[in-house]
């Protein structure tokens, strides 16, 4: 065994999540759910959403605002009342754009500037006729929810730092911006988490859906609690599972955590989401170079945090060429590493794969934890609705999730369908707003 392959075997061992560990994590997750729901200490926030699943008969033309962290999307959506959805207009706007010289995600930007920007974009999309439109707002951060249209941001995640939003009522911030911009023809009706939107969108057509998740820049899941303690009725609970803490951390995870915006927080998210996977790979590769297991040119830029993105990992994983040309291009472009051997490029691809597999297996274990709670025997079918770039675009990711479910349930895994809920977070906001509007 060469030195590099020996070190690689060690990394593989640290990142692996065998079947027995999957089940253990699922059990710990289930226990954390129970504690969180009962208001006992838990890393799961178990936030009520004040909405159940839709009937499929909701209808109307609704404005949806989908604020995720990387961009804000505004959509004009018509729900037909028979499970169908038509998007008549949609646009996406970056929250930071170097060329246009703005960044609403830093601490020097204020909440007022951010929400004014969102209000302006709503005005660009929604026709100013005599008509008025209900608005549904997906806000993809942990919020204390007091009603379907009242949400207070607990704390930013995904490295966002905009000032003056934490602790504030997000609905009021948007309403105030709409008033400042004299947009009186849209009226906010609902605020939801993106996981809730994903669940609602899939459930609009498929009533076996009881888990919704985002595997994208951030990670989180929600589920339908059959009898919520607050109402004794079915209610979607935003678990904020990205903060789940009962998982192992390698030295690489600890290093990422220490230098993150909020050390100690969002442990699961830091091992599973697109915001961080590239950074884990960078930290591992830097340590290999620093310890002399891989050649690094003196002018390399491996020390720059977040210098490889999740899209780059997808490119690395999709490379099946004999010479690993795409892997070579990525490392040359991101880290100025131009002369790695084929063996070193292959090692890099293996590291990216191991990090992606660990992400998928940890996520699957948390879903198993939910199923342990709501249907331990898997006595009925369940659909898990997922949106996000990792699930949709990362080569192998969906298969890794399915494999982990098989490892946990064996043949029983057939009862569980994991399905893409494309644009679920935006469409779900429209369904939530229509639910409120139709019930008035
Ligand atoms: C947020 C969640 C969100 C997830 C996916 C996390 O960082 O805390 O509220 O659902 O990202 O966007």
């Amino acid at each position: 065994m060469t030195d590099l392959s020996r070190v690689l075997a060690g990394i593989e061992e640290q990142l692996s999540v065998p079947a027995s560990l999957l089940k253990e994590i699922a059990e710990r997750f289930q226990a954390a759910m129970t504690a969180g729901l009962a208001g006992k200490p838990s890393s799961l926030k178990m936030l009520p959403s004040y909405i159940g699943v839709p009937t499929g008969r909701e209808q109307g033309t609704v404005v949806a605002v989908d604020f995720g962290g990387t961009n804000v999307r505004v959509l004009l959506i018509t729900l037909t009342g028979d499970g169908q959805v038509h998007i008549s207009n949609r646009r996406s706007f970056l929250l930071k754009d170097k060329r246009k010289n703005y960044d609403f995600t830093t601490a020097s930007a204020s909440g007022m500037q951010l929400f004014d920007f969102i209000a302006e974009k709503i005005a660009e999309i929604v026709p100013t006729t005599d008509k008025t439109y209900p608005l549904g707002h997906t806000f993809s951060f942990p919020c204390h929810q007091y009603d379907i249209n009242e949400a207070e941001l607990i704390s930013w995640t995904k490295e966002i730092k905009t000032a003056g939003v934490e602790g504030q009522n997000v609905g009021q911030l948007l309403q105030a911006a709409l008033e400042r911009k004299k947009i009186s023809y849209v009226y906010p009706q609902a605020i939801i988490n993106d996981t809730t939107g994903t669940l609602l969108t899939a459930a609009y057509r498929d009533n076996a859906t009881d888990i919704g998740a985002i595997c994208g820049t951030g990670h989180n899941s929600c589920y339908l609690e059959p009898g919520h303690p607050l109402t004794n009725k079915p209610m979607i609970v935003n678990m904020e599972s990205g903060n789940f803490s009962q998982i192992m951390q390698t030295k690489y995870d600890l290093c990422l955590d220490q230098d993150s915006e909020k050390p100690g927080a969002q442990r699961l998210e830091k091992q599973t989401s697109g915001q961080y996977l590239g950074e884990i790979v960078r930290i591992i590769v830097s340590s290999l170079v620093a310890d002399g297991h891989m050649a690094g040119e003196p002018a390399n830029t491996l020390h720059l945090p977040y210098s490889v993105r999740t899209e780059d990992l997808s490119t690395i994983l999709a490379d099946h060429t004999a010479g690993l040309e795409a892997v070579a291009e990525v490392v040359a472009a991101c880290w100025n590493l131009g002369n790695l051997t084929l063996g070193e490029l292959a090692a890099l691809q293996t590291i990216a794969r191991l990090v992606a597999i660990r992400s998928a297996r940890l996520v699957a274990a948390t879903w198993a934890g939910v199923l342990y709670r709501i249907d331990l025997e898997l006595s009925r079918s369940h659909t898990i609705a997922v949106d996000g770039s990792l699930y949709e675009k990362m080569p192998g990711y969906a298969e890794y999730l399915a494999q982990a479910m098989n490892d946990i349930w064996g043949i029983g895994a057939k009862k569980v369908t994991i399905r893409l809920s494309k644009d679920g977070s935006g469409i779900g906001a429209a369904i939530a707003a229509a639910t409120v509007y139709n019930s008035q």
Side-chain angles (χ1 to χ4, degrees):
M1 219 190 228
T2 65
D3 188 34
L4 181 55
S5 51
R6 190 181 41 76
V7 179
L8 212 53
I11 294 173
E12 175 161 13
E13 203 182 319
Q14 292 179 63
L15 295 177
S16 81
V17 187
S20 55
L21 185 55
L22 283 174
K23 291 180 196 164
E24 245 177 68
I25 295 173
E27 277 161 19
R28 287 182 216 148
F29 193 84
Q30 184 199 3
M33 288 175 74
T34 309
L37 263 187
K40 297 193 180 135
S42 170
S43 60
L44 295 179
K45 295 192 175 67
M46 305 299 281
L47 304 164
S49 65
Y50 293 90
I51 193 163
V53 285
T55 59
R57 293 189 295 278
E58 293 75 8
Q59 51 181 303
T61 298
V62 183
V63 180
V65 172
D66 181 8
F67 179 89
T70 315
N71 46 35
V72 57
R73 275 184 278 265
V74 184
L75 305 95
L76 198 60
I77 297 177
T78 302
L79 306 171
T80 54
D82 54 3
Q84 299 300 312
V85 171
H86 296 294
I87 302 178
S88 50
N89 202 351
R90 89 167 92 190
R91 277 184 65 196
S92 184
F93 305 93
L94 288 171
L95 290 170
K96 55 176 161 191
D97 191 335
K98 266 200 195 133
R99 280 179 309 132
K100 294 192 180 150
N101 207 18
Y102 70 80
D103 184 350
F104 296 114
T105 64
T106 62
S108 55
S110 72
M112 195 193 251
Q113 288 170 319
L114 171 65
F115 281 91
D116 278 353
F117 175 75
I118 297 176
E120 277 164 25
K121 299 307 164 197
I122 293 173
E124 284 178 26
I125 301 299
V126 184
T128 45
T129 54
D130 314 339
K131 228 169 118 36
T132 56
Y133 299 87
L135 178 144
H137 182 187
T138 297
F139 187 74
S140 310
F141 299 90
C143 287
H144 281 304
Q145 193 111 18
Y146 301 108
D147 199 350
I148 179 68
N149 203 21
E150 300 254 339
E152 185 184 291
L153 175 62
I154 300 172
S155 55
W156 284 122
T157 53
K158 296 177 269 202
E159 309 297 300
I160 298 200
K161 309 179 212 38
T162 319
V165 189
E166 289 183 334
Q168 298 299 307
N169 182 325
V170 177
Q172 277 168 11
L173 293 179
L174 178 63
Q175 181 63 52
L178 290 170
E179 282 164 20
R180 279 193 297 277
K181 299 284 167 190
K182 313 240 171 325
I183 304 169
S184 52
Y185 46 92
V186 298
Y187 52 100
Q189 294 271 282
I191 303 182
I192 57 168
N193 185 258
D194 52 355
T195 54
T196 303
T198 303
L199 195 163
L200 289 174
T201 303
Y204 195 55
R205 273 184 228 144
D206 169 3
N207 61 15
T209 314
D210 40 23
I211 299 179
I214 300 290
C215 295
T217 306
H219 170 64
N220 182 17
S221 300
C222 70
Y223 77 108
L224 185 68
E225 171 62 37
H228 194 280
L230 283 175
T231 55
N232 272 331
K233 287 198 201 134
M235 191 197 284
I236 297 172
V237 175
N238 167 16
M239 297 188 285
E240 285 298 325
S241 56
N243 194 48
F244 182 57
S245 62
Q246 287 157 278
I247 46 171
M248 266 69 73
Q249 284 176 299
T250 64
K251 62 179 180 191
Y252 312 112
D253 300 310
L254 290 168
C255 177
L256 180 147
D257 185 48
Q258 262 161 26
D259 292 338
S260 69
E261 193 51 37
K262 297 211 163 99
Q266 300 294 102
R267 260 207 208 178
L268 178 70
E269 182 168 65
K270 285 172 183 161
Q271 295 187 21
T272 55
S273 84
Q275 172 74 27
Y276 300 103
L277 295 192
E279 182 61 1
I280 301 172
V281 171
R282 182 194 70 83
I283 293 170
I284 297 176
V285 176
S286 308
S287 82
L288 290 179
V289 170
D291 296 344
H293 302 303
M294 239 190 209
E297 287 151 73
N300 76 66
T301 54
L302 261 171
H303 58 281
L304 293 178
Y306 296 92
S307 45
V308 67
R309 298 158 311 155
T310 304
E311 295 94 282
D312 301 318
L313 292 193
S314 290
T315 309
I316 290 176
L317 293 175
D319 188 355
H320 297 296
T321 62
L324 295 177
E325 281 107 29
V327 180
E329 265 171 39
V330 169
V331 294
C334 297
W335 296 328
N336 205 19
L337 284 176
N339 63 352
L340 295 189
T341 64
L342 190 54
E344 288 171 331
L345 293 173
L348 225 140
Q349 192 179 45
T350 303
I351 293 166
R353 188 175 307 112
L354 294 173
V355 168
I357 293 177
R358 180 181 69 160
S359 158
R361 291 179 76 78
L362 290 174
V363 166
T366 68
W367 294 342
V370 177
L371 293 170
Y372 282 2
R373 175 179 173 84
I374 60 176
D375 183 15
L376 182 59
E377 305 296 327
L378 284 190
S379 60
R380 55 181 198 280
S381 301
H382 297 271
T383 300
I384 302 175
V386 192
D387 199 4
S389 50
L390 280 192
Y391 182 72
E392 204 186 351
K393 299 195 182 132
M394 180 165 275
Y397 200 83
E399 288 79 23
Y400 302 146
L401 284 170
Q403 179 60 51
M405 286 315 225
N406 273 322
D407 289 355
I408 297 172
W409 304 99
I411 189 87
K414 285 213 163 67
K415 289 265 184 73
V416 184
T417 306
I418 305 174
R419 129 164 351 138
L420 179 69
S421 176
K422 181 84 185 130
D423 289 330
S425 67
I427 297 170
I431 296 173
T435 307
V436 178
Y437 165 75
N438 287 177
S439 67
Q440 283 165 351

